[in-house]
Amino acid sequence: TMKATPMTSAATPTTYIDYTVGCGTGTITTNGASTSTTPVTIIDVTSLTELTGASEAITLSVDSITFEAAVSGSYTGTVTFNYTAT
């Protein structure tokens, strides 16, 4: 799965820069102070006997409105990929 958090300023008050990240058929768009997004599945394999190499492009598009409104300084956001096997 893939999950993302908005870019958050290091300064106070906290400001945000939103973005859309995509991988395979999954996309996530961050939304300001809503720092948690619902994870999306990127690759789903029903059996390890079916597993072959897989590669997906990662894309990122910064929201121009929140970018232009952002105060100068450092911003940090996170895109997390989790591999789960059962």
Side-chain angles (χ1 to χ4, degrees):
T1 59
M2 176 179 68
K3 193 172 179 178
T5 63
M7 288 185 274
T8 306
S9 67
T12 302
T14 302
T15 55
Y16 302 93
I17 300 174
D18 291 317
Y19 60 91
T20 299
V21 62
C23 185
T25 59
T27 61
I28 294 175
T29 300
T30 62
N31 185 19
S34 299
T35 57
S36 180
T37 57
T38 302
V40 297
T41 299
I42 304 301
I43 298 171
D44 190 16
V45 178
T46 56
S47 168
L48 288 179
T49 59
E50 296 176 19
L51 186 60
T52 59
S55 178
E56 299 289 350
I58 299 171
T59 60
L60 191 127
S61 176
V62 175
D63 176 70
S64 62
I65 295 170
T66 54
F67 178 79
E68 293 293 331
V71 297
S72 63
S74 296
Y75 285 75
T76 303
T78 304
V79 177
T80 306
F81 293 88
N82 289 311
Y83 172 78
T84 304
T86 55

